[in-house]
């Protein structure tokens, strides 16, 4: 059996755990120098940009008369991966030069909860897309939208 076949058969939870372990190792290593801190900020901004760019096409795809499940699955997968990476994209010391509020680092519990809820919303969307379950995808999208708005109000500086 090929590596790709094995990877396709792994449950999402195992894939998520693997990504978290790899991501935490790389995030910790990156955050050790000033240049690395800048790279952490740029990487998390890129992940947020990916999520933002996928929202309108996801909404359009789900509101179409005939849903393009391939498109939904692709957008949900890339957004889910970005959400996984964002859960470890705020290591201590990566706040300088960021538009994120300092409470992310000083009081991270609520922020981490919202990040986990966002990731779970994308996981639901991904599962719903694989099953072609419109209701599950829309429920996941609603959860994602709610956590995005909540985080922006509480944790993002306007300047």
């Amino acid at each position: 059996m090929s590596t790709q076949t094995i990877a396709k058969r792994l449950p999402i939870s195992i894939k998520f755990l693997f990504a978290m372990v790899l991501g935490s190792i790389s995030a910790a290593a990156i955050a050790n120098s000033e240049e690395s801190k800048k790279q952490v900020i740029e990487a998390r901004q890129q992940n947020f940009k990916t999520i933002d760019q996928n929202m309108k096409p996801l909404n359009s795809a789900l509101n179409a008369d005939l849903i393009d499940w391939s498109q939904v699955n692709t957008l949900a997968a890339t957004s889910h991966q970005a959400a996984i990476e964002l859960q470890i994209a705020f290591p201590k010391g990566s706040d300088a030069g960021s538009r994120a509020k300092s409470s992310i680092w000083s009081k991270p519990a609520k922020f981490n909860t919202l990040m986990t809820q966002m990731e779970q919303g994308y996981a639901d969307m991904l599962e719903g897309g694989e099953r072609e379950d419109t209701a599950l995808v829309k429920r996941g999208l609603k959860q994602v939208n709610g956590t995005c708005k909540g985080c922006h109000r509480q944790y993002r500086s306007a300047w």
Side-chain angles (χ1 to χ4, degrees), residues 113-135:
T113 298
L114 288 169
M115 294 299 284
T116 300
Q117 289 172 352
M118 179 180 68
E119 184 278 322
Q120 184 57 55
Y122 279 119
D124 289 348
M125 289 175 64
L126 189 57
E127 183 180 340
E130 290 171 356
R131 287 199 239 158
E132 297 186 6
D133 181 341
T134 306

Side-chain angles (χ1 to χ4, degrees), residues 12-30 81 84-89:
I12 290 174
S13 58
I14 298 296
K15 293 176 188 176
F16 172 71
L17 180 62
F18 185 70
M20 289 293 290
V21 169
L22 287 179
S24 63
I25 291 168
S26 63
I30 289 173
Q81 183 59 42
I84 288 170
E85 291 175 17
L86 284 169
Q87 288 189 327
I88 50 132

Side-chain angles (χ1 to χ4, degrees), residues 2 7 11 17 19 32 59 67 69 74 79 95 105 123 140 147 153 155:
S2 74
L17 180 62
N32 287 330
N59 279 307
I67 295 175
W69 289 106
T74 299
S79 296
D95 54 336
W105 294 274
T147 58
R153 275 188 236 125
Y155 299 107

Side-chain angles (χ1 to χ4, degrees), residues 43-85:
R44 74 175 170 238
Q45 288 172 341
Q46 182 56 51
N47 281 314
F48 280 124
K49 186 176 183 179
T50 296
I51 287 171
D52 184 51
Q53 289 173 338
N54 287 349
M55 291 305 276
K56 188 173 182 177
L58 267 167
N59 279 307
S60 295
L62 290 171
N63 291 316
D65 292 334
L66 182 62
I67 295 175
D68 180 350
W69 289 106
S70 175
Q71 180 187 26
V72 169
N73 291 334
T74 299
L75 293 167
T78 58
S79 296
H80 184 246
Q81 183 59 42
I84 288 170
E85 291 175 17

